[in-house]
Amino acid sequence: MDAWWGTLDTSLRIFYAIGLGSGLALVVQLVMLFLGHDGGDGHDAIDGAGELPVLSLRAITAFFVGFGWTGVAALQAGYSVPVATAAGLGVGGAFMLAVAFLMRLLYGLEQSGNVDYRNAVGSHAKVYLPIAPRMEKAGQVEVLVQGRLRVVEAMTKADRTLPPQSRVKVVDLVDATTLLVEPE
């Protein structure tokens, strides 16, 4: 192995190191995912606007896998370092966008289901993110819905901001996924 590594020029070593390191990181991520230790809490998936999660750990890892191995292939095919770098950037970018798109699709499947927030009406909840007064801006509450603790958008008609950790009661729905709460 040392003899092989010693025969490589510096640019090829760099591309190999990027490809091997990121490939190993991708394998570790996949193993952890299959073992149920995703390590994510949704922040790696999608922001509130539903945009592609391009800057997620998985997408960035995919970029470096594509970049490294494309650089290796281009250099071994006889192309120059700038051409190999450009090709690596292109393929890495395509890998990153593909992974981000697939993650968006998969997390969309995870969030669809049979949750009926009408079942939360009458429940007690705890404010997670501040809720602005007089229906000005939604916050979030933690509430038990259908046997699962969920963080759900919430609004209030109260005249004061409901701070985090304060107790509230769910009195109605504003829409299908936003609760109307009042202070306890």
Side-chain angles (χ1 to χ4, degrees):
M1 178 81 157
D2 283 338
W4 168 76
W5 187 258
T7 64
L8 301 176
D9 68 352
T10 303
S11 56
L12 200 51
R13 285 183 189 181
I14 291 170
F15 279 112
Y16 262 117
I18 292 170
L20 289 169
S22 58
L24 179 62
L26 187 62
V27 168
V28 169
Q29 287 177 7
L30 290 173
V31 168
M32 297 299 285
L33 180 65
F34 286 123
L35 293 176
H37 300 290
D38 184 13
D41 53 4
H43 297 296
D44 194 37
I46 294 179
D47 65 10
E51 296 176 8
L52 288 178
V54 175
L55 294 179
S56 70
L57 183 61
R58 286 185 192 97
I60 292 170
T61 303
F63 170 83
F64 284 111
V65 168
F67 176 80
W69 289 114
T70 301
V72 167
L75 288 176
Q76 288 184 336
Y79 291 101
S80 66
V81 173
V83 171
T85 301
L89 289 171
V91 172
F95 276 29
M96 184 167 64
L97 289 174
V99 167
F101 180 73
L102 289 173
M103 285 174 50
R104 181 171 187 222
L105 289 177
L106 290 173
Y107 279 104
L109 291 173
E110 176 184 83
Q111 293 185 6
S112 65
N114 299 328
V115 177
D116 186 356
Y117 289 106
R118 289 178 292 190
N119 293 326
V121 174
S123 299
H124 299 277
K126 183 169 53 172
V127 176
Y128 185 69
L129 291 178
I131 304 171
R134 297 175 293 285
M135 307 280 287
E136 293 172 0
K137 183 179 173 192
Q140 292 182 337
V141 295
E142 291 179 325
V143 63
L144 196 61
V145 182
Q146 294 172 210
R148 294 187 71 185
L149 186 64
R150 298 181 182 274
V151 176
V152 182
E153 295 279 318
M155 300 181 88
T156 187
K157 292 181 181 178
D159 291 326
R160 62 182 173 90
T161 298
L162 303 179
Q165 303 301 318
S166 60
R167 302 286 299 162
V168 294
K169 183 174 181 178
V170 180
V171 293
D172 202 356
L173 294 177
V174 175
D175 60 38
T177 60
T178 305
L179 306 176
L180 181 64
V181 299
E182 65 182 22
E184 287 190 331

